[in-house]
Amino acid sequence: MSEGNEPTGGAAMGTDEGRTVRVVLVDDHRMFRTGVQAEIGQTDRTGVEVVGEAADVDQAVTVITATRPEVVLLDVHLPGGGGVEVLRRCASLMAAPEQPVRFLALSVSDAAEDVIGVIRGGARGYVTKTITGTDLVNAVFRVKDGDAVFSPRLAGFVLDAFASTDAPPVDEDMDRLTQREREVLRLIARGYAYKEIAKQLFISVKTVESHVSAVLRKLQLSNRHELTRWATARRLV
């Protein structure tokens, strides 16, 4: 994490002496998890107790269910279905009348689609990985208390999406794709090779090829270059 904008409405450290919050870190990059742990996980200084970590959707659901943290720091793009799938599978934990599990998205992505997707899924906020350690601790405590927290620029996406009473426009092309096909689409558009995608999603290269063929057929595209242009035009990269 580096210096960045403070979340909307945030103060400095913002934690009351003696308060603690139990947190699970969900991110597929081990070095990033290690960095976050080192930055905010010194409980005697920050009040944050990291009680678990996960690198993909299945691990996340298992760890969150077992530890019942107060806040989950959730990356948006994860092997196995992404942050939205974690939210879907943890819906009952979020809705628990006592000690609900609350989610704060922490992602490198600042794409409107990603922000709106996880907020619709039930996350209480969304901050980018440029956030400082101090501001992240403050954001975690605010989410624990039930507040909504966003990096300043991202709050506008949410306001725009929810301000109108009209239903948001439906992307019929995207709706034709399964969740896994969307994951493969994004990785192809980002320049990943089939072998890299297979490793990232824990599937075989042959399965990746099948998903790419299905995406090209459903979107009526001819090759990965057209696919990349299509994804870039929709800000999916």
Side-chain angles (χ1 to χ4, degrees):
M1 289 180 292
S2 60
E3 292 186 2
N5 291 328
E6 180 181 315
T8 299
M13 180 66 76
T15 61
D16 297 332
E17 186 176 354
R19 292 187 70 200
T20 61
V21 56
R22 300 171 69 253
V23 171
V24 163
L25 307 177
V26 180
D27 192 287
D28 60 338
H29 293 97
R30 182 178 59 82
M31 289 185 65
F32 181 75
R33 297 197 311 272
T34 300
V36 173
Q37 168 79 278
E39 184 78 16
I40 73 171
Q42 300 176 35
T43 309
D44 57 343
R45 180 177 64 85
T46 65
V48 175
E49 179 187 2
V50 177
V51 296
E53 299 183 16
D56 59 40
V57 169
D58 287 340
Q59 286 180 14
V61 174
T62 298
V63 171
I64 293 166
T65 301
T67 60
R68 295 294 293 265
E70 292 159 299
V71 177
V72 177
L73 288 176
L74 179 68
D75 194 9
V76 174
H77 299 296
L78 295 166
V84 172
E85 179 65 11
V86 175
L87 292 164
R88 186 186 69 79
R89 291 168 60 178
C90 291
S92 61
L93 298 178
M94 288 189 284
E98 296 183 8
Q99 296 183 332
V101 177
R102 295 190 168 102
F103 288 78
L104 173 62
L106 175 62
S107 177
V108 69
S109 171
D110 60 359
E113 180 193 69
D114 289 334
V115 178
I116 295 167
V118 295
I119 298 305
R120 289 192 188 280
R124 296 292 304 175
Y126 194 117
V127 295
T128 61
K129 290 181 177 179
T130 57
I131 192 170
T132 65
T134 297
D135 290 337
L136 182 57
V137 169
N138 183 51
V140 166
F141 272 91
R142 290 181 58 209
V143 167
K144 173 191 175 182
D145 291 339
D147 291 345
V149 181
F150 299 91
S151 294
R153 195 174 76 84
L154 307 187
F157 295 154
V158 180
L159 290 173
D160 291 344
F162 291 94
S164 174
T165 55
D166 297 330
V170 175
D171 190 328
E172 294 183 359
D173 289 331
M174 282 294 288
D175 283 349
R176 294 191 186 102
L177 306 182
T178 66
Q179 181 64 37
R180 179 47 59 89
E181 288 168 353
R182 295 182 192 193
E183 293 175 350
V184 171
L185 164 64
R186 286 190 178 94
L187 293 174
I188 284 288
R190 291 172 183 170
Y192 283 66
Y194 286 2
K195 187 178 295 185
E196 293 172 322
I197 296 173
K199 183 177 180 181
Q200 180 86 353
L201 300 180
F202 301 102
I203 57 180
S204 68
V205 173
K206 186 174 182 179
T207 300
V208 173
E209 293 172 349
S210 296
H211 285 313
V212 172
S213 295
V215 170
L216 292 174
R217 183 182 68 256
K218 290 179 180 180
L219 300 181
Q220 299 181 355
L221 301 174
S222 301
N223 53 56
R224 67 180 297 164
H225 300 295
E226 290 184 2
L227 188 153
T228 299
R229 287 197 295 271
W230 187 92
T232 301
R234 285 164 172 76
R235 301 179 65 184
L236 301 180
V237 181

